[in-house]
Amino acid sequence: MAVIAAFAGSAIGLGNIWRFPYLVGENGGAAFILIYVVFTLVLSLPIFLAESAIGRGSQVNCRAAVSFLVPGRAGRWFGFLMVLTPLWLLSYYSVVGGWSMDYLIRALSLEFIHSTPDQLAGNFERFISHPWMPMLFHLSFLGMAAAVVAFGVKSGIEKFCKWSIPTLFVLIVLIAVYSLTLPGANRGVEYLMKPDFSKVTAHTFIDALGQSFFSLSLGTGIIITYSSYIKKGENLMVAGVGTAVSDLTFALLAGFAIIPAVFSAGIEPGAGPTLIFDTLPFIFSNLAQQMPFLSAVVAILFFAAIFIAALTSAISLLEVGVAYLTEEKEMSRGRACALLFVLCGAFGTLCSLSFGPLSRVRLLGLNLFDFADSAASNVFMVLGSLISVILAGWVMPRSELFRELTNGGTLRANARLFPAARFLLQYVTPIGILTLILSSML
Ligand code: TRP
């Protein structure tokens, strides 16, 4: 249970609450969910097993683990990619962290309770297009993460997340139940349950795959790192299935909390990254008309939980880069945090401004924020995951993979599943990923 909790702590985050609902909205609902669930079970789960076997097999940090399997320059590059991806991710993740911070402050100031749903319309749009406010929140958020990592008060934060994730879980169930009772919610339920395959394109597949990797934190070195701490007696297959199932459940609950409310509010489901920030205040303002006190409390708890989930993820994302700079470049912790704060702060600022003053700057037709996000989850994480499966399926000796996944054959059920798992790893996952990459490029 403790192992699953640690993995789930990394997996459950903004990916489930913020990213999943808006991708569902952009990609036509149920069909996307179906593809996402299948990809998670058939492609992501084997990658998770690959990364955890590499981590526990090598018992060292992710860069060293990769160099172990691939000596020389190529190994160094692969390892470097796994350090760079989390930093890239952190740059725009902390922009959203900044948004959650602003919304927590708004919830605390009872703004949603004192405004009618109509008054709240367009509120978020005004905030993110402001010339400097979102940037200030982004830098404050990143600064907090950097301060925590620099001072190493990580253990306190970890204790904090132990209750924040279960709280978030309870809250999201309550919000989903409430959301389903809103007038017009049934159109949202239909959207989530009835697949419309006419909206499915090659891009839907790559988005679903990218989301699955993003949500399970694959291809970012974190699973390898965490797994190197796992005891030899633990069952990696059970940990993988437990993590994937809890992460999926959480995402689906968030979908049922957000999408019916989106339809009820008459908000466009394809609104993109701003979706939950437009929708949640609407739910809280609506609820406030009958139960102002309850609504105020739930709004505060909910945004606090999102903020904490984002902060804890940001800390572990930063930790990967800090560990690299302190161990390999012999930099002090404080300096490493300061350097990465400046780098991620600058890049994130560009992403943050891309909703306002820089909205006309486009790369491949996307604004800088969307570009950073799709490059991370649809390219870097996919590449990182591909490297992991190739390492575990083809480079790592079969006997070693068998030893890790079955604890030396003592776990009978795992031993029986091993040939299927290895087949998925060796053939299905790499071929599936490559096909998707190629088809999305056409
Ligand atoms: N899975 C996280 C989420 O859903 C995001 C994430 C990806 C992450 N890679 C990570 C978090 C590495 C921590 C460490 O929000």
Side-chain angles (χ1 to χ4, degrees):
M1 284 310 282
V3 173
I4 295 176
F7 281 133
S10 158
I12 295 171
L14 291 175
N16 308 60
I17 310 167
W18 158 72
R19 206 170 183 276
F20 179 74
Y22 91 70
L23 282 174
V24 169
E26 275 183 344
N27 285 291
F32 177 82
I33 298 182
L34 209 66
I35 297 168
Y36 170 73
V37 171
V38 171
F39 279 179
T40 299
L41 299 177
V42 178
L43 300 177
S44 300
L45 192 54
I47 298 167
F48 193 101
L49 295 179
E51 294 195 351
S52 55
I54 292 173
R56 197 175 63 173
S58 68
Q59 313 250 306
V60 287
N61 76 66
C62 84
R63 221 196 62 86
V66 174
S67 290
F68 235 29
L69 292 167
V70 188
R73 193 183 265 171
R76 274 205 295 281
W77 275 105
F78 293 161
F80 192 61
L81 175 76
M82 291 201 177
V83 175
L84 203 64
T85 306
L87 293 174
W88 177 285
L89 202 69
L90 175 64
S91 304
Y92 72 89
Y93 202 88
S94 74
V95 172
V96 185
W99 298 349
S100 75
M101 206 165 142
D102 177 75
Y103 266 56
L104 173 59
I105 294 173
R106 287 174 196 240
L108 286 167
S109 69
L110 304 182
E111 178 180 323
F112 312 134
I113 313 306
H114 292 143
S115 319
T116 62
D118 286 344
Q119 285 167 332
L120 291 173
N123 227 349
F124 189 64
E125 192 56 46
R126 277 192 291 282
F127 165 62
I128 54 168
S129 56
H130 192 276
W132 47 263
M133 280 271 270
M135 181 180 88
L136 205 68
F137 277 102
H138 148 65
L139 292 176
S140 318
F141 180 85
L142 190 61
M144 282 167 76
V148 172
V149 175
F151 290 111
V153 279
K154 211 170 149 244
S155 58
I157 285 280
E158 264 162 22
K159 287 198 194 97
F160 210 39
C161 334
K162 271 207 193 108
W163 66 261
S164 78
I165 297 278
T167 309
L168 195 60
F169 207 84
V170 172
L171 288 171
I172 204 125
V173 171
L174 293 179
I175 291 184
V177 170
Y178 178 71
S179 175
L180 291 172
T181 64
L182 290 171
N186 52 343
R187 293 210 345 271
V189 176
E190 200 170 294
Y191 189 75
L192 290 169
M193 311 274 282
K194 269 204 194 141
D196 173 6
F197 287 102
S198 68
K199 295 229 177 64
V200 173
T201 61
H203 217 266
T204 314
F205 286 94
I206 194 84
D207 269 354
L209 188 72
Q211 170 60 17
S212 183
F213 290 175
F214 186 98
S215 198
L216 278 176
S217 310
L218 299 178
T220 55
I222 206 84
I223 307 295
I224 297 184
T225 309
Y226 275 11
S227 302
S228 69
Y229 309 138
I230 299 181
K231 289 203 199 79
K232 287 289 182 193
E234 304 287 355
N235 189 333
L236 293 182
M237 284 199 188
V238 168
V241 173
T243 307
V245 169
S246 45
D247 188 50
L248 267 180
T249 311
F250 208 95
L252 292 175
L253 282 172
F256 276 93
I258 306 296
I259 299 290
V262 165
F263 276 83
S264 173
I267 297 169
E268 193 38 57
T274 63
L275 188 69
I276 67 158
F277 293 95
D278 281 330
T279 313
L280 287 169
F282 167 82
I283 303 184
F284 297 134
S285 154
N286 228 327
L287 178 62
Q289 290 171 1
Q290 300 127 29
M291 291 176 270
F293 181 73
L294 180 71
S295 175
V297 171
V298 174
I300 292 168
L301 286 178
F302 199 78
F303 281 111
I306 295 183
F307 170 68
I308 293 162
L311 188 63
T312 53
S313 292
I315 289 165
S316 60
L317 286 166
L318 189 60
E319 181 64 35
V320 180
V322 169
Y324 171 75
L325 289 176
T326 51
E327 284 171 24
E328 315 246 332
K329 303 282 170 217
E330 285 169 16
M331 211 181 257
S332 75
R333 257 189 112 69
R335 281 192 131 202
C337 287
L339 176 68
L340 296 180
F341 171 80
V342 171
L343 287 179
C344 296
F347 184 46
T349 294
L350 295 177
C351 297
S352 168
L353 294 177
S354 71
F355 291 99
L358 295 183
S359 62
R360 258 181 276 150
V361 180
R362 301 260 148 185
L363 285 174
L364 303 175
L366 301 170
N367 72 15
L368 290 176
F369 181 96
D370 289 335
F371 174 79
D373 183 32
S374 55
S377 45
N378 299 353
V379 182
F380 294 155
M381 295 179 89
V382 172
L383 271 182
S385 304
L386 194 60
I387 292 170
S388 300
V389 282
I390 292 173
L391 290 183
W394 295 95
V395 179
M396 202 171 172
R398 185 183 188 277
S399 57
E400 195 177 324
L401 186 67
F402 181 80
R403 192 188 66 218
E404 290 306 324
L405 293 183
T406 65
N407 293 356
T410 54
L411 301 167
R412 290 269 178 78
N414 293 25
R416 239 173 284 133
L417 287 170
F418 180 78
R422 187 154 186 268
F423 177 77
L424 283 176
L425 256 184
Q426 283 194 302
Y427 299 100
V428 178
T429 325
I431 293 173
I433 294 176
L434 283 174
T435 314
L436 284 169
I437 295 177
L438 291 178
S439 61
S440 76
M441 288 197 299
L442 294 179

